[in-house]
Amino acid sequence: MKKVLALVMALMLMALCGVATAEDAPKIGIAIYNFADNFMTLYRNELHRYLVEDLKIPEENVIIMDGKNDQAEQTNQIDGFIADNVDVMILNLVQTSSAASVIQKVDAAGIPTVFINREPTKEELDLSKLVCYVGADARQSGTFQGEIIAETENKGDFNGNGVVDYAMIMGDPENVDAQYRTEFSIKALEDAGLKVNKLYEQRGDWDQTKGQELAATVLTQFGNDVDVIFCNNDAMALGAYQAIVDNGRTVGKDIYLVGVDALDECQEMVKNGTMTGTVLNDHIGQSHTAADVALKAAKGEPMEQYYWVDYVKVTK
């Protein structure tokens, strides 16, 4: 009898504290494209913390899988979520080209799905009323990168030839974020009335080591002609910074360097002048929005198609 009373009291306490049991809480399947990614590590950790600590979803109901940058692996994980009858999915796709087939799967299964970080096209989202996208508009981040350079004292022209000679280190060119950051960073310079000259553009796939290799190549090939190195994310910018140092160049004195994500390390670099600027990709705002939308969808509430979280320009 004492045990029964203790159990009843415990359940009443859980209810009063807003703590859900595994049986009555939604089961959430979360697929991340690559646990090794700097930004998505911040995003994933905050998403998990917010769901478990703030929203009181039991730990065992929050299933997070590492796609290991392999779409076939991630597709198997999504199929596993469907087979396990999860109540809602939060998906950070390895390849956005897989979005249409994934949306068809989740629509057929009747599982509401929140896409994050890597944006499907409008046409793909139109395939189902059970899907939405939570993220930041990459056009804004690219624009902010270009504005950071346009707002420097020499307007990005260190060599004094009247032109901003730049190198572009892209993420995955299939990813809309990489496309928009590449396009709109340069558009912002042109909109500011500046002449631009693309010396070099290659994909670094969001990777720090590749960023360093590509920056080393462009600095070796073009030397002091390089005024600016644009990187689609901070991980590649960290790599590019090391290549700049190895090449005997100095950020802020004879070259500019910009990234996106505002990783803590990069914010410190901006403060001390070893990075020209970055753009805050608000992983806290995005992860919280994604979680809130997912829980509402799991209850059967309708979703909007897009939920936007603004970027923030970060300069010294």
Side-chain angles (χ1 to χ4, degrees):
M1 184 67 180
K2 289 182 179 179
K3 288 184 178 180
V4 172
L5 285 172
L7 178 59
V8 170
M9 290 294 291
L11 289 172
M12 289 175 65
L13 181 61
M14 290 174 71
L16 288 170
C17 295
V19 179
T21 64
E23 289 75 19
D24 61 24
K27 184 183 288 188
I28 306 166
I30 302 171
I32 302 298
Y33 98 94
N34 190 357
F35 278 12
D37 182 281
N38 305 58
F39 175 72
M40 287 312 299
T41 296
L42 294 173
Y43 195 122
R44 165 171 54 91
N45 290 342
E46 180 59 25
L47 178 61
H48 177 268
R49 188 208 64 76
Y50 182 64
L51 284 166
V52 174
E53 295 182 16
D54 292 3
L55 300 182
K56 308 302 181 185
I57 303 299
E59 181 96 31
E60 61 267 35
N61 284 33
V62 181
I63 308 153
I64 307 180
M65 305 294 289
D66 181 6
K68 301 176 183 177
N69 207 23
D70 182 332
Q71 187 58 59
E73 170 110 1
Q74 188 179 69
T75 299
N76 288 335
Q77 294 166 356
I78 293 169
D79 288 342
F81 288 154
I82 293 172
D84 288 343
N85 294 312
V86 299
D87 297 294
V88 64
M89 286 191 277
I90 300 175
L91 303 182
N92 167 223
L93 295 177
V94 173
Q95 296 175 344
T96 51
S97 59
S98 67
S101 61
V102 170
I103 289 170
Q104 289 167 352
K105 281 176 183 280
V106 302
D107 187 71
I111 299 174
T113 298
V114 178
F115 289 95
I116 60 171
N117 185 251
R118 297 184 166 191
E119 181 185 347
T121 65
K122 175 73 166 58
E123 291 74 20
E124 289 165 339
L125 291 176
D126 284 342
L127 293 172
S128 174
K129 293 183 178 180
L130 293 176
V131 300
C132 73
Y133 177 71
V134 172
D137 186 344
R139 288 167 289 202
Q140 186 184 50
S141 61
T143 298
F144 284 169
Q145 281 190 305
E147 288 177 354
I148 288 169
I149 298 303
E151 290 162 3
T152 59
E153 185 177 357
N154 57 11
K155 301 186 182 300
D157 181 18
F158 267 116
N159 58 31
N161 65 352
V163 177
V164 180
D165 296 295
Y166 73 92
M168 181 69 67
I169 300 179
M170 299 179 66
D172 175 0
E174 180 189 282
N175 186 308
V176 69
D177 282 10
Q179 296 167 17
Y180 283 154
R181 289 173 188 172
T182 297
E183 176 186 353
F184 281 82
S185 58
I186 306 309
K187 183 178 183 297
L189 293 176
E190 294 173 333
D191 288 347
L194 303 176
K195 294 182 180 180
V196 298
N197 176 39
K198 180 171 67 179
L199 297 174
Y200 183 88
E201 181 178 288
Q202 289 293 333
R203 61 183 291 172
D205 294 323
W206 315 111
D207 182 75
Q208 182 169 336
T209 299
K210 289 184 180 179
Q212 182 172 346
E213 292 170 353
L214 294 174
T217 296
V218 72
L219 291 170
T220 298
Q221 186 172 347
F222 295 100
N224 291 333
D225 288 343
V226 184
D227 289 316
V228 185
I229 297 181
F230 286 95
C231 296
N232 282 172
N233 76 341
D234 277 351
M236 295 187 297
L238 287 170
Y241 172 73
Q242 189 57 54
I244 288 169
V245 172
D246 292 345
N247 199 259
R249 304 286 292 277
T250 303
V251 173
K253 292 186 178 179
D254 56 23
I255 193 169
Y256 291 123
L257 172 66
V258 288
V260 174
D261 285 337
L263 300 177
D264 288 345
E265 183 176 356
C266 292
Q267 291 187 51
E268 285 301 314
M269 291 171 67
V270 172
K271 286 180 184 178
N272 63 36
T274 53
M275 189 168 172
T276 312
T278 183
V279 182
L280 175 65
N281 196 0
D282 183 5
H283 69 278
I284 294 176
Q286 290 180 59
S287 60
H288 290 195
T289 302
D292 291 340
V293 170
L295 292 189
K296 289 179 180 179
K299 295 176 183 176
E301 296 182 25
M303 298 183 291
E304 298 176 20
Q305 196 168 58
Y306 290 97
Y307 297 85
W308 297 114
V309 178
D310 279 339
Y311 285 98
V312 179
K313 193 186 302 184
V314 180
T315 62
K316 192 171 184 178

